[in-house]
Amino acid sequence: MPTLSYIGHSCCLVESEAGAVIFDPFITGNPLASLKAEDLPELAAIFLTHGHNDHLGDAIDLAKKNDCPVVATYELAAYCQSKGTQAVTMNIGGTYKDEWGQIKLVQAWHSSSYQEESGNVIYTGMPTGILYTIEGKTVYHLGDTGLFSDLGLIGTRNSKIEVALVPIGDHFTMGIDDAVEAVRLISPRLAIPVHYNTFPPIEQDPADFKKKCKAIGSEAKVLDPGGSFEY
Ligand code: NI
Ligand code: MN
């Protein structure tokens, strides 16, 4: 069975017999990060939901160190490639399969850019959610998004969503009440809140999210950074 670990903010690691993959590896400078970037296992692929600095994070260094691809929208993966990484350039609606599993990009309502150290802001294409399937089980990382009704379509079209990683921080993404509605629309087996308590503007009580999910008949699990479970 695959194991999902929450590293903190939007960063999650999935380990299976097919290898380890990581979503949004913002580790250096992440006050919640449960480990250091150099302490990660060997990675087979790096998935980015969008280019914002709190998501791209250590992706370029990790992709070079592990000699593995950054998988993301065309603009974002090509940007990483221009910095010396391997890349799988995709776009919304598309599916890609590799030894490490299957990935599909879906829409998210947000924005996407990367600010370089010089202050230059680079446009990095559309933001996305990511469906990652391994061993017949799908994890849906919603990325940064507001609520939208097509989450219901994504849930219907992908009926085996085991785990949904749902942003609850508000301010930049959905807050708790909209996140609970997102869970209702997607109907995953389990919802895990992400993208909260990293910085003051996104302070939230994940127990409130869990309670409100329970009230609509959905199960949520709060993982502290460093927490993991098999699914
Ligand atoms: Ni963002
Ligand atoms: Mn973010």
Side-chain angles (χ1 to χ4, degrees), residues 50 52 55 110 144:
H50 64 297
H52 287 155
H55 297 259
H110 193 61
D144 282 2

